[in-house]
Amino acid sequence: MLIFGTLRSGLYALAAVGLALSVGVIGIVNFAHGEFLMLGAYLGYWLFASYGVDPLAAIPLGAAGLFVLGGALYRTAIRRVLRAPELNQMLLTFGIAIFLQNLAVILWSGDPRTAAIPYKASALALGPFTIGLPQVVVFVLATGLTAALYALLGRTRVGKAMRAVAQDRVGSAIIGVEVDRIYLLAFGLSVALAGTAGLMITLQLSASPYMGLLYTLKAFAIIVIAGLGNIGAVVYASLVLGLAEAFVEFYVPNGGGWSEGVFFLLILLVLLVRPRGLFQ
Amino acid sequence: MTVSRALPLSRPDRLAGRLGVPLLLGAALAWPFLTVRTQPYLLQLSLNILIFAVLAVSWDLLARTGQLSLAHAAFYGLGAYTSALLATRLHVPIPLAMLAGGGLAVVCAVGLGLLTLRLRGIYFAIATLAFTETLRVVAKQVRFFGAATGLVVPPLFPASLVGQYLVILAVLLATLLVSWRVNRSRWYFAFTAIRTNEAVAAVMGVDVVRFKVAAFALSAFFAGLTGAYYAHVFLFINPFEVFSLAISVGALVAPIFGGLYTTAGPLLGAVVLRAGEEALRATIRSGHLILYGGILAVVVLYMPRGLLGVLVALRLRRPPAVAVGPAPPAGGAGR
C-alpha cells in the first residue's frame, strides 16, 4: 500500500508542480492544465504508434514542443487576462480546455488510445512485492524532474527571478526583472511539465480526450493541500494524496470507486480547516 | 476584483424590457402549440434550452455577490435525486417531490454557504467544485441512490410535451422575476457592495453573511427545482449526468457570454449558446464543441461585457464609461 501510494505520488507531483508554477508565479488559475497533459499523452501515443518512438525518448521533444505552445498561448491569450478578475482567467482557460478536448476528439476520436509498449506489463520483484516496471521508471523520472525544477528555482538566476516575481511583481520590476519574460518562461515551463507528465502516462495508461479534467482536479487538490503558491510543499502534498488514495483502495470495501472521491474530500477538508494549506 | 462602478446595471435590462417583454412572452407561450405537431424535435430542444436558462439566471444571482460557484451541478443533482427518490421509494406526489428537491438544495446551500464564507475567488470555486464531485462519488457508490447505473424516474406529465414545456417556462419566469426584483431592491446595492469590497461593505453595515447565504439559497433553490424537473421529464438520472461539471460550467458560461449581473444577459446567453451549440452539432458531427471553447475564449478576451454589453453599446452609439463585470485588461485588447 505504501509503495503503491508513493509510486503514484511521483507522477502527481510532476503534474501538480507545473500548475503550482502557473498559480504561484503568474497567479493564473489554469483550468486547461490537464489538457496539456492530455496532449502530451497523445503525443506519446502518436510518436510510438507511427514511428516506434519510446515515450520516454520523446520527452525532450515533447517538452520542447509544449513549451513553445505554452509560450504562444501566453503571448496571445494569457497575458491579456493577467490583471483581470479571476473569473475571466478561469473562463479563458476553461475555453482553452474545451477547445483542446474537442480538438483531440476531432484528431483522434473519442475512443481511448493505448500505446502497446513492450515492457508495459513487465514487473520488478522487490523482496516480497512485485511492482510494475513502468511505474518505477515513471516514479524515478518524475521525481528527478521535480527535483531538477526545484534546483532551477533555488539555484539559478532565472529561478530566483521567478520566486521574486511570485512574491512581489512590482518590486521585482523595479529592481530590473523582466516580469513579462519570466511569466512567459514560467507558463511555458508549466505547460511543458504537464506534457511530460502526459508522456509518462502513455507508459502506464491510455490517452483519451477527456482525461485532462481528472488531472487538472488532482493537481488542484495537491496545490490546495500544499497551500496555493507554496511550490515547495507540492511534493509532500502529492505524497499525502497518493497515500490517501492507496489507503482507501486497499482498506475500504469497493474502494476503487471511492478513491476517486478522496481528493475532493481532502480539498474540502483542507479548505475548510486550513485554507492556507497543510504545509504553511 | 474590478467591478461595476458607474454604469447603472439596470440599463441593459431596461433595453431588454423595451425590446418587448410582452412580445417575447407571447412568443414563448405560443411556441409549443406551433411546434408540437410539426417539429417535436424543436420543442424537445426548447426544454433543454429553458433548463439551461434557469440554471444560468439562477447562477448569476449568486455571482452578484462576487462568489464564483462551481456547485450549481450539486444543487441540480440534489434536486434530481431527492425528487426521484421521494417519488419512487415513498410515492410522494411529483410536484411535492420536486419542491422538496428544491428545498433540500436550499438546506445544503445554506450549510455550504456558511462553511465557505471565508473562502474567496479561486478557493471558493475549488471548494464548491469539490463539494459537487464528492456528492457525485457518493451517488455513484451507494446502492440506495442507484449507484453507477442511476435511477428510473416516474414522469411528470406523461406524453404531454406541451405540458412539460409550460412547467419549465413557469419555473424560468419565476427565476427571471426573482432575478429582476433583486436587481431593483436594496439587495442590489448589498450584493454589489459585497462584490466590490467585502470588508468595506461590512464596515458600512451590510450584513455580509446574511446576504451571501441568502443569495446562495435563492440560487440553489431554482437549480434544485430544475434538477428535479429534469429527472421527471427525461425519466432517468445517473450521477455522471446530473452532477457533471458540464452543468456547472454551462451555468456560468451563459451569463458571461450574455452579460453578467443582469437578468436579460444570462437568459440571452443561454438561448444563444444552447441553440448555437445544437446548430453546430447538426453541422459538424464530432467535436462541435471546439468552436464553443474558441468562442468562450474570444468573448472573455474581446467582449468583456458580453453580448448584452455589445447590444447596449450599439444602441448607445458610444462605449460605456466603465466596464461592468469582467474588466478589460490593462493595456490589453478590450474596448
Side-chain angles (χ1 to χ4, degrees), chain A residues 80 86-88 91 217 260 272, chain B residues 68 118 140 256 326 329 333:
Chain A
R80 296 169 194 268
E86 275 159 342
L87 183 68
N88 294 29
L91 279 173
L217 296 177
E260 60 178 283
L272 296 181
Chain B
L68 176 60
R118 288 186 301 164
K140 197 197 76 177
I256 304 293

Side-chain angles (χ1 to χ4, degrees), chain A residues 111-202:
Chain A
D111 309 322
R113 297 293 174 95
T114 311
I117 294 151
Y119 55 88
K120 199 170 207 162
S122 50
L124 280 179
L126 206 89
F129 307 105
T130 21
I131 309 161
L133 177 65
Q135 275 79 2
V136 176
V137 174
V138 166
F139 176 76
V140 171
L141 263 176
T143 318
L145 275 170
T146 312
L149 181 74
Y150 282 128
L152 176 83
L153 284 178
R155 301 282 163 82
T156 64
R157 263 182 77 84
V158 177
K160 283 177 184 158
M162 270 188 203
R163 285 188 300 151
V165 171
Q167 274 182 10
D168 186 346
R169 166 162 60 187
V170 180
S172 316
I174 290 171
I175 58 166
V177 177
E178 285 184 74
V179 175
D180 192 52
R181 281 181 60 187
I182 294 294
Y183 280 175
L184 175 75
L185 205 66
F187 196 75
L189 206 57
S190 159
V191 172
L193 284 167
T196 309
L199 279 165
M200 291 187 183
I201 287 173
T202 323

Side-chain angles (χ1 to χ4, degrees), chain B residues 11 48-49 67-68 73 98 100 102 113 116 160 201 221 231 297 320 328:
Chain B
R11 192 175 291 164
N48 269 317
I49 294 179
Q67 294 288 58
L68 176 60
M98 283 172 61
T116 54
S160 168
F221 175 74

Side-chain angles (χ1 to χ4, degrees), chain B residues 43-84:
Chain B
L43 193 51
Q44 192 77 46
L45 173 64
S46 317
L47 295 188
N48 269 317
I49 294 179
L50 293 186
I51 287 177
F52 191 48
V54 179
L55 290 177
V57 175
S58 61
W59 183 87
D60 187 74
L61 277 173
L62 178 57
R64 289 172 188 173
T65 64
Q67 294 288 58
L68 176 60
S69 164
L70 286 171
H72 230 51
F75 304 125
Y76 186 78
L78 274 170
Y81 268 90
T82 310
S83 189

Side-chain angles (χ1 to χ4, degrees), chain A residues 23 29 31 76-92 94-96 98-106 210 213-214 217 220-221 223-224 227-229 253-265 267-268 271-276, chain B residues 1-2 59 68 70 112 115-116 118-131 133-134 136-138 140-142 240 245 249 252-253 256 260-261 284 286-294 296-298 300-302 304 325-330 332-334:
Chain A
V23 174
V29 177
F31 266 97
T76 51
I78 302 293
R79 189 159 59 167
R80 296 169 194 268
V81 294
L82 279 181
R83 260 163 276 182
E86 275 159 342
L87 183 68
N88 294 29
Q89 305 179 347
M90 286 176 58
L91 279 173
L92 177 68
F94 258 135
I96 296 173
I98 297 173
F99 183 87
L100 291 177
Q101 257 175 35
N102 291 283
L103 188 69
V105 173
I106 291 178
Y210 306 110
L213 180 66
L214 183 71
L217 296 177
F220 266 123
I223 66 172
V224 165
L228 286 193
N254 200 3
W258 285 109
S259 80
E260 60 178 283
V262 166
F263 57 102
F264 294 114
L265 216 56
I267 300 181
L268 260 183
L271 278 177
L272 296 181
V273 181
R274 292 198 55 170
R276 293 184 171 280
Chain B
M1 224 165 152
T2 324
W59 183 87
L68 176 60
L70 286 171
L112 186 65
L115 279 174
T116 54
R118 288 186 301 164
L119 304 175
R120 243 155 260 143
I122 182 64
Y123 290 92
F124 181 82
I126 294 176
T128 49
L129 175 64
F131 174 71
E133 294 292 314
T134 309
R136 183 176 60 80
V137 173
V138 171
K140 197 197 76 177
Q141 289 297 107
V142 179
F240 311 102
L245 181 64
V249 173
L252 68 88
V253 167
I256 304 293
L260 271 173
Y261 316 136
I284 316 172
S286 73
H288 64 280
L289 287 173
I290 191 167
L291 278 168
Y292 195 83
L296 185 56
V298 168
V300 173
L301 289 176
Y302 299 106

